[in-house]
């Protein structure tokens, strides 16, 4: 079973390969400042689905598995891919010997079991898996056994993902709110000064995998002495920093700044296609708990105009309703008749009238200018929703504040976010009943349940099409389209690949 799932993941490679170049004996030393979109809400990747948290914390904490340069699941803290019983319900995972935590203690199965149980309890993606878990227990000092109620095809992908991540920490530190940031990663936390930097330094006791670097997998070399993640919330300030060569790496630049960045001191890095912006709807509480009003939103929005406002030239975006681009193995047109590039104001108005919408209750759109394209799409969306008959309230906040507010269903009706194209559809945020938006329904449960328990790759493709039909029928979120991502790096910084979650092990500075 595991081989067929691995093959399916590895064929999803319209995803940009994430392997860095192999170079003999780069120089050790140096400090790299990484400009990020803002202050991370936490450094605990279990408790957060924010990409910023995953970008920083992946240097400190590690998971049993990760993704290689072709987006296939590959071992990290695990010694090998799991041994899976014939019925797909028992996974035995051997652990790598000689792995130590930043506090000097050795990693054992006791730590892994406690960490996975914490993940199942508090991680949004862990909660997705938890419903199907019978037990997690040691199988000796360096092995764990996971017993499931039924076969669960995406398990290793969940264990590999760095977002709401199944990190391994010392069992002694196992608490709901993490206060000791001790992992096994190549870099460890030295200091955090809110709104100034998160400072990571080389962990001298790090046990790298053998072999060559391979995407997020393979060897993780510690060439840099120190990595500092510096919050730069204003997008224009990040652009000017890239032009001036102020940082070693600048993340999440407005795509329309490509020409300006190219003419500056830093080297632009384009990830094409990167992912998809989305409007997530609050299906739990408020006006959009009404399916009729969500369908009215779906009809009213004009993806092409929103994408044009956000990204400018069509070379940077594509108007496409499928949850995956056409070259991906998961691409399907199922259900996308509801996706109208120009929107349909008349249809939206009719749906509003049918649902008896009360215009004294505005649609509260939660967004941030730290991702400037989110804000630009919100402005366009506001006008189309008003034209259809909605009252609209834009709540523009810092990204960290948005992350906090979206956890409270009383505070918003739509929040704007984005996601890279993920190698396993089960990883998409709103697939979880517990994710903000809180989409649940009998149709969702049935469609996703069938998809997750099927292990045959060809059958899973057909079942994903059924899931996408339910997404469009129940409108828990609105996919705007596809877009490219832009970052920039110093010409002296080598060994960094364009990646959805940039990483700086295997990176070095030319002297």
């Amino acid at each position: 079973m595991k081989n067929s799932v691995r093959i399916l993941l590895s064929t999803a490679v319209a995803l940009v390969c994430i392997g860095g170049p192999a170079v003999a004996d780069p120089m050790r030393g140096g400090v790299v400042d990484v400009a990020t979109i803002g202050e991370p809400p936490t450094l605990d990747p279990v408790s957060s689905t924010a990409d910023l948290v995953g970008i920083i914390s992946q240097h400190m904490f590690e998971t049993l598995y990760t993704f290689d340069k072709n987006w296939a699941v590959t071992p990290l803290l695990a010694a090998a891919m799991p041994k899976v019983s014939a019925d797909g319900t028992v996974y035995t995972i051997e652990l790598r010997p000689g792995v130590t935590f930043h506090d000097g203690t050795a990693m054992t199965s006791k730590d892994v079991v406690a960490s996975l149980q914490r993940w199942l309890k508090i991680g949004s993606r862990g909660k997705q898996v938890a419903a199907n878990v019978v037990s997690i227990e040691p199988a000796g000092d360096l092995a764990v056994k996971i017993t499931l109620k039924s076969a669960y095809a995406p398990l290793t992908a969940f264990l590999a993902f760095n977002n709401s991540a199944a990190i391994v920490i010392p069992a002694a530190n196992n608490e709901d709110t993490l206060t000791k940031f001790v992992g096994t990663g190549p870099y460890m936390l030295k200091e955090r000064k809110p709104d100034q930097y998160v400072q990571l330094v080389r962990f001298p006791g790090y046990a790298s995998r053998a072999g060559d670097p391979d995407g997020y997998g393979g060897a993780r070399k510690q060439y840099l002495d120190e990595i500092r993640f510096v919050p730069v919330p204003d997008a224009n300030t990040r652009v000017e920093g890239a032009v001036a060569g102020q940082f070693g790496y600048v993340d999440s630049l407005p795509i329309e700044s490509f020409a300006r960045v190219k003419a500056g001191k830093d080297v632009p890095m384009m990830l094409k296609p990167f992912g998809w912006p989305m409007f997530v709807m609050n299906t739990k509480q408020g006006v959009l708990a009404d399916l009729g009003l969500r369908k009215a939103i779906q009809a009213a929005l004009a993806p092409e105009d929103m994408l044009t406002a956000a990204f400018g030239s069509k070379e940077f975006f594509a108007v496409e309703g499928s949850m995956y681009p056409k070259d991906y193995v998961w691409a399907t047109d199922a259900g996308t008749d509801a996706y109208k590039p120009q929107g349909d104001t008349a249809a939206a108005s009719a749906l509003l009238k049918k649902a008896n919408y009360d215009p004294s209750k505005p649609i509260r759109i939660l967004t941030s200018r730290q991702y400037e394209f989110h804000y630009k799409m919100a402005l366009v969306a506001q006008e189309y929703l008003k034209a259809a008959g909605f009252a609209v309230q834009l709540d523009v906040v810092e990204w960290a504040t948005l992350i906090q507010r979206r956890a409270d269903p009383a505070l918003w009706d739509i929040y704007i976010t984005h996601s890279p194209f993920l190698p396993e559809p089960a990883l998409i945020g709103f697939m979880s009943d517990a994710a903000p938006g809180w989409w649940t329904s009998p149709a969702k449960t049935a469609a996703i349940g069938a998809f997750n328990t099927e292990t045959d790759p060809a059958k899973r493709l057909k079942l994903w099409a059924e899931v996408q039909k339910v997404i469009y029928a129940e409108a828990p979120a609105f996919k705007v389209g596809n877009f490219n991502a832009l970052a920039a790096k110093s010409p002296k910084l080598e060994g960094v690949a364009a990646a959805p979650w940039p990483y700086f092990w295997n990176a070095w500075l030319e002297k």
Side-chain angles (χ1 to χ4, degrees):
M1 179 194 73
K2 63 180 183 294
N3 289 334
S4 63
V5 175
R6 182 182 175 87
I7 289 168
L8 179 57
L9 284 171
S10 67
T11 57
V13 185
L15 289 153
V16 175
C17 290
I18 52 175
V23 175
D25 299 320
M27 295 290 294
R28 285 170 62 92
V31 177
V32 167
D33 286 341
V34 179
T36 67
I37 62 103
E39 179 69 18
T42 178
L43 293 180
D44 177 9
V46 176
S47 65
S48 177
T49 59
D51 285 341
L52 176 58
V53 174
I55 289 169
I56 297 172
S57 66
Q58 66 186 339
H59 296 81
M60 303 158 54
F61 301 107
E62 295 180 313
T63 47
L64 293 173
Y65 298 97
T66 187
F67 296 104
D68 68 17
K69 64 183 178 182
N70 292 324
W71 292 98
V73 175
T74 191
L76 183 53
L77 291 176
M81 295 302 290
K83 298 175 183 176
V84 185
S85 63
D87 65 357
T89 62
V90 180
Y91 283 63
T92 303
I93 301 172
E94 301 289 337
L95 307 175
R96 285 170 51 210
V99 174
T100 58
F101 292 107
H102 298 158
D103 62 5
T105 60
M107 181 191 75
T108 70
S109 57
K110 178 182 177 182
D111 302 301
V112 175
V113 169
S115 298
L116 293 182
Q117 289 173 338
R118 177 177 185 265
W119 176 63
L120 294 178
K121 178 183 178 183
I122 69 172
S124 64
R125 290 186 171 85
K127 291 176 182 177
Q128 284 178 261
V129 176
N132 198 33
V133 173
V134 174
S135 63
I136 302 176
E137 54 193 340
D141 288 341
L142 287 173
V144 297
K145 184 173 73 171
I146 302 174
T147 303
L148 306 175
K149 297 175 184 176
S150 59
Y152 191 71
L155 178 61
T156 54
F158 273 97
L159 293 174
F161 201 32
N162 77 342
N163 183 290
S164 185
I167 59 169
V168 176
I169 60 175
N173 297 349
N174 185 4
E175 50 191 356
D176 287 0
T177 301
L178 204 60
T179 57
K180 296 179 181 179
F181 298 93
V182 176
T184 62
Y187 291 85
M188 57 186 181
L189 181 66
K190 181 177 181 180
E191 185 178 22
R192 179 183 183 183
K193 287 193 173 181
D195 299 317
Q196 294 186 50
Y197 57 77
V198 175
Q199 181 186 23
L200 307 184
V201 295
R202 184 189 293 116
F203 170 40
Y206 181 63
S208 173
R209 294 193 71 88
D212 295 324
D214 186 8
Y216 293 94
R220 293 184 168 185
K221 304 293 187 181
Q222 304 163 283
Y223 299 122
L224 299 171
D225 291 336
E226 183 179 318
I227 309 164
R228 286 195 298 243
F229 294 92
V230 181
V232 185
D234 182 73
N236 291 328
T237 304
R238 292 199 300 278
V239 171
E240 295 306 316
V243 171
Q246 181 181 354
F247 302 99
Y249 187 94
V250 185
D251 193 32
S252 191
L253 294 168
I255 200 78
E256 66 271 19
S257 68
F258 178 78
R260 178 161 169 71
V261 172
K262 188 176 181 180
K265 292 185 177 180
D266 279 356
V267 179
M269 302 177 71
M270 182 81 74
L271 194 58
K272 180 180 181 178
F274 168 76
W276 48 296
M278 73 188 90
F279 287 44
V280 179
M281 305 196 208
N282 183 349
T283 69
K284 182 177 184 178
Q285 184 174 331
V287 292
L288 296 187
D290 185 320
L291 173 58
L293 292 179
R294 296 201 304 274
K295 296 296 286 184
I297 299 278
Q298 186 184 68
L301 295 177
E304 187 164 358
D305 284 356
M306 288 192 289
L307 292 165
T308 300
F311 305 112
S313 172
K314 286 189 175 181
E315 65 180 311
F316 300 135
F317 69 85
V319 183
E320 188 169 273
S322 169
M323 297 296 157
Y324 284 86
K326 61 184 179 181
D327 293 331
Y328 284 53
V329 68
W330 298 108
T332 172
D333 290 333
T336 58
D337 287 349
Y339 179 88
K340 307 293 184 185
Q342 301 300 329
D344 190 334
T345 301
S349 297
L351 287 166
L352 272 185
K353 185 176 180 180
K354 184 177 180 180
N356 294 316
Y357 170 65
D358 180 356
S360 70
K361 296 179 179 178
I363 302 298
R364 297 161 299 167
I365 300 178
L366 189 58
T367 191
S368 170
R369 296 200 70 165
Q370 283 162 267
Y371 291 109
E372 185 70 9
F373 68 97
H374 290 188
Y375 176 68
K376 290 178 178 178
M377 289 188 300
L379 292 176
V380 176
Q382 181 180 34
E383 296 308 310
Y384 275 93
L385 292 173
K386 285 181 177 178
F390 282 104
V392 181
Q393 173 183 317
L394 282 190
D395 293 331
V396 185
V397 298
E398 294 290 307
W399 184 249
T401 303
L402 185 148
I403 296 297
Q404 292 173 345
R405 287 193 184 180
R406 72 180 183 183
D408 185 344
L411 298 181
W412 60 277
D413 300 298
I414 292 173
Y415 81 86
I416 302 177
T417 187
H418 67 271
S419 172
F421 294 111
L422 303 174
E424 162 59 55
L427 297 171
I428 295 171
F430 57 73
M431 297 281 277
S432 168
D433 293 353
W438 305 280
W439 174 41
T440 60
S441 74
K444 175 189 179 182
T445 299
I448 293 178
F451 175 68
N452 285 341
T453 56
E454 179 55 65
T455 59
D456 180 83
K459 292 179 180 178
R460 291 195 83 216
L461 293 177
K462 294 179 180 179
L463 289 168
W464 169 243
E466 296 305 310
V467 175
Q468 185 169 288
K469 286 180 184 178
V470 177
I471 293 170
Y472 271 102
E474 301 196 347
F478 182 88
K479 181 194 174 183
V480 185
N482 308 335
F483 76 105
N484 305 341
L486 179 65
K489 73 175 187 68
S490 165
K492 294 182 179 180
L493 183 63
E494 300 290 348
V496 175
W501 306 281
Y503 54 93
F504 302 95
W505 59 84
N506 299 331
W508 71 95
L509 289 167
E510 292 284 3
K511 301 299 183 184

